[in-house]
Amino acid sequence: MAARKGRRRTCGTGEPMEAESSDARTEGPAQVYLPGRGPPLREGEELVMDEEAYVLYHRAQTGAPCLSFDIVRDHLGDSRTELPLTLYLCAGTQAESAQSNRLMMLRMHNLHGTKPPPSEGSDEEEEEEDEEEEEERKPQLELAMVPHYGGINRVRVSWLGDEPVAALWSEKGQVEVFALRRLLQVVDDPQALATFLRDEQARVKPIFAFAGHMGEGFALDWSPRVSGRLLTGDCQKNIHLWTPVDGGSWHVDQRPFVGHTRSVEDLQWSPTEDTVFASCSADASIRIWDIRAAPGKACMLTTATAHDGDVNVISWGRREPFLLSGGDDGALKIWDLRQFKSGSPVATFKQHVAPVTSVEWHPQDSGVFAASGADNQITQWDLAVERDPEAGDAETDPALADLPQQLLFVHQGETDLKELHWHPQCPGVLVSTALSGFTVFRTISV
C-alpha cells in the first residue's frame, strides 16, 4: 500500500504544512508512487505502507465481497475520537450464486490506533510486554447474516423514529426494506447471536418490497429531512418516490420521474429542502427535481453534459450549496447550485485515472471530501488548502509538483474499490468496501 501524507492543517490556523513522501520501495531510497504519474512499478518493487501516515487502520473480510454498505448511526455518542473505536455497518454481498448472498450487520470493535514502531535496543522483557499488548489490541468483528436471494447492488440505512431500517436494491429488480433492530441487538450479545444464527436468520423477511421497477438498479436515497421518504432509480432511466404510510408500509408512486435517457446511477436528497433532490445518469447529465410538481414536469434544472460519459455518483454538501460528482472520465467536479444553470462546475479535479466509484462530503468539515476510483485509489481533498510557496514541494519530489493543491492524501492497496463513507459520529474516520474487503482508517490529514 502507498499513501501520501497530506499537507496537514495546523490546529487553529488553517495553514498547511508541507507534503512529505510516505511511500517505500523494497530497495533503495523511498519514492512517491502515484498511479498515472511517473514510472510504473518495476519488477521486484512493491508498495509498503507508512503507518505514520495513519492514525487508525484496520481491514476486515466477510467472505463474499460487498458492492455496497452503509454506516449505522449508533447510541455511543457523537464526535468521538477516543480509541479504541466501535462501529456498526450494514452491508450486502455479491456472491457467485444468487442463493449464497447475505444481508449483514457488522459490529467492529476494539479498533485501536496504529502502533509506533519499536524503539531500537528494546530488551526481551519489553518484547514480551509488547506481545501481551498486541493480544489485547486485536480488533474484533461480530457478524449477523440474513439469507438474501440475489446480489445486493446498494444498501442505505435510516432510522424511522426508534426503528433502524435498510433499503436494498437487488440485482433481481426488487427494492426491499428490512428491519434492523434484531440484527443490531444480537451483534452486541454473543449468546443472542448464536441463537439468532441457529434459529432465526432463515426466517427474516423484508417488511416491504417493491417490484414495480422494470429491471435492476443502483440509485437509492432516504430523505434526511422527512422520515421514511425514499427515492429509488433504475437502469431503465426511471425514478420512483416512496411515501411512508401508517402501519410501517409505503406508498410507491407508479408514475416515474421522467427526464433521463439512460440508467439513473445515483440520487441525493437536498439536506435543506424537503421536496428537492438531485440525480445523475449514464446519459452524462445531472438533474435537480422538485417533487411538488407532477413527475413528468418535476425536473427544474439540468446540466446535460456534466461529465464526458457516465456520471456515476453525486454527494450533496450538508452545509454549503455544493454538489460533488464523479464520472467515468475520472474527474471530480463541484457544482455551485446557485449557478447550476450555467452548466459549468466551479472546480474540476483530475487525480483518478479510471472511473470514480464513490464520492462523499465530510459530515462536519464543509470543504473536505473523499472519493474512490476503479484505479484503486481513495483520495482526500480540502478546498481550503493552498500550497505553501516556502514548502518547496517540487524540490522535495518533482512528482508532487503538479498535484492539485487541494489533494490531501492518496490511500492505495485495495482491489476493485466500490464505495466509501465517512463515519458521521467519528470525525475523520473513513470506511471503504472493495473486492479485497472492508477497510477502516483515519489519516493524519483529516
Side-chain angles (χ1 to χ4, degrees):
M1 177 178 312
R4 188 170 78 85
K5 280 188 187 174
R7 292 179 281 276
R8 185 167 133 192
R9 291 161 295 160
T10 52
C11 184
T13 67
E15 294 177 359
M17 295 168 66
E18 67 179 279
E20 303 173 40
S21 163
S22 66
D23 300 342
R25 307 274 178 126
T26 49
E27 294 178 12
Q31 301 174 43
V32 171
Y33 173 75
L34 291 165
R37 298 172 187 265
L41 288 177
R42 297 189 296 271
E43 188 177 348
E45 290 183 321
E46 63 179 20
L47 301 179
V48 179
M49 175 184 176
D50 178 4
E51 293 200 5
E52 291 181 12
Y54 294 84
V55 178
L56 179 83
Y57 178 84
H58 294 280
R59 302 183 78 166
Q61 292 186 323
T62 55
C66 297
L67 194 61
S68 179
F69 74 100
D70 205 0
I71 295 170
V72 184
R73 288 192 70 99
D74 55 52
H75 301 298
L76 300 177
D78 293 335
S79 302
R80 53 185 199 262
T81 55
E82 192 174 329
L83 300 174
L85 286 180
T86 296
L87 52 88
Y88 298 82
L89 309 179
C90 183
T93 64
Q94 284 274 332
E96 289 187 9
S97 66
Q99 300 93 316
S100 302
N101 285 289
R102 302 287 184 269
L103 169 66
M104 301 187 295
M105 179 66 69
L106 296 79
R107 176 180 173 239
M108 298 180 176
H109 58 110
N110 206 39
L111 303 182
H112 286 267
T114 50
K115 199 176 174 186
S119 57
E120 286 186 25
S122 56
D123 58 28
E124 200 170 309
E125 190 175 320
E126 283 180 351
E127 286 177 12
E128 284 179 14
E129 287 175 5
D130 286 346
E131 285 176 16
E132 288 176 18
E133 186 186 355
E134 199 68 37
E135 193 64 31
E136 291 173 2
R137 290 169 59 96
K138 276 188 177 177
Q140 304 295 320
L141 172 65
E142 266 69 56
L143 190 58
M145 297 181 290
V146 172
H148 184 273
Y149 184 73
I152 296 171
N153 293 345
R154 193 155 292 173
V155 179
R156 291 293 180 265
V157 172
S158 184
W159 283 84
L160 309 186
D162 293 331
E163 294 299 321
V165 295
L168 319 181
W169 243 124
S170 167
E171 67 178 3
K172 298 302 179 185
Q174 283 203 130
V175 182
E176 301 153 316
V177 179
F178 282 80
L180 299 179
R181 176 177 290 279
R182 182 61 177 152
L183 278 72
L184 274 173
Q185 287 172 342
V186 301
V187 293
D188 278 334
D189 182 338
Q191 193 171 345
L193 180 57
T195 302
F196 174 83
L197 295 176
R198 186 183 65 239
D199 302 332
E200 301 174 40
Q201 63 167 341
R203 298 199 302 267
V204 176
K205 304 297 179 192
I207 58 174
F208 188 84
F210 175 62
H213 283 282
M214 303 306 291
E216 70 174 315
F218 294 84
L220 189 67
D221 196 37
W222 292 102
S223 169
R225 296 180 58 83
V226 180
S227 179
R229 185 178 279 176
L230 179 67
L231 286 166
T232 54
D234 61 37
C235 296
Q236 309 296 320
K237 72 190 180 190
N238 293 321
I239 301 167
H240 287 275
L241 173 67
W242 300 40
T243 304
V245 295
D246 291 342
S249 188
W250 282 264
H251 167 72
V252 185
D253 195 331
Q254 300 290 334
R255 303 167 301 163
F257 292 95
V258 177
H260 287 298
T261 58
R262 294 183 64 195
S263 172
V264 178
E265 298 294 287
D266 203 3
L267 292 161
Q268 282 275 283
W269 283 102
S270 165
T272 58
E273 297 180 78
D274 293 355
T275 62
V276 176
F277 72 89
S279 64
C280 66
S281 169
D283 65 13
S285 74
I286 297 174
R287 293 173 180 263
I288 310 295
W289 312 71
D290 193 323
I291 65 172
R292 290 173 293 186
K297 300 177 180 178
C299 183
M300 301 299 167
L301 297 169
T302 302
T303 292
T305 311
H307 283 258
D308 295 331
D310 298 15
V311 188
N312 298 328
V313 283
I314 50 175
S315 178
W316 198 316
R318 289 168 173 81
R319 288 172 170 75
E320 301 289 344
F322 291 147
L323 196 69
L324 169 64
S325 64
D328 268 3
D329 54 5
L332 297 164
K333 298 189 179 186
I334 295 170
W335 308 85
D336 187 333
L337 293 166
R338 296 163 296 192
Q339 306 169 22
F340 195 71
K341 284 183 180 177
S342 71
S344 299
V346 292
T348 300
F349 301 111
K350 195 73 169 71
Q351 167 65 21
H352 290 276
V353 293
V356 174
T357 59
S358 189
V359 293
E360 191 167 282
W361 289 103
H362 190 288
Q364 287 88 29
D365 194 331
S366 60
V368 173
F369 66 89
S372 65
D375 55 4
N376 297 325
Q377 294 187 78
I378 291 176
T379 53
Q380 293 180 334
W381 305 77
D382 187 348
L383 301 181
V385 169
E386 294 180 5
R387 182 168 286 135
D388 182 351
E390 297 178 9
D393 273 2
E395 290 177 23
T396 306
D397 195 315
L400 302 181
D402 64 343
L403 290 176
Q405 297 178 27
Q406 296 80 7
L407 179 62
L408 288 182
F409 198 99
V410 178
H411 169 86
Q412 297 171 70
E414 315 301 330
T415 303
D416 201 7
L417 275 163
K418 294 300 182 186
E419 197 169 273
L420 59 76
H421 297 293
W422 297 99
H423 197 295
Q425 296 166 279
C426 303
V429 173
L430 265 176
V431 186
S432 67
T433 186
L435 184 64
S436 48
F438 288 97
T439 304
V440 180
F441 66 95
R442 183 177 180 184
T443 72
I444 60 169
S445 301
V446 178

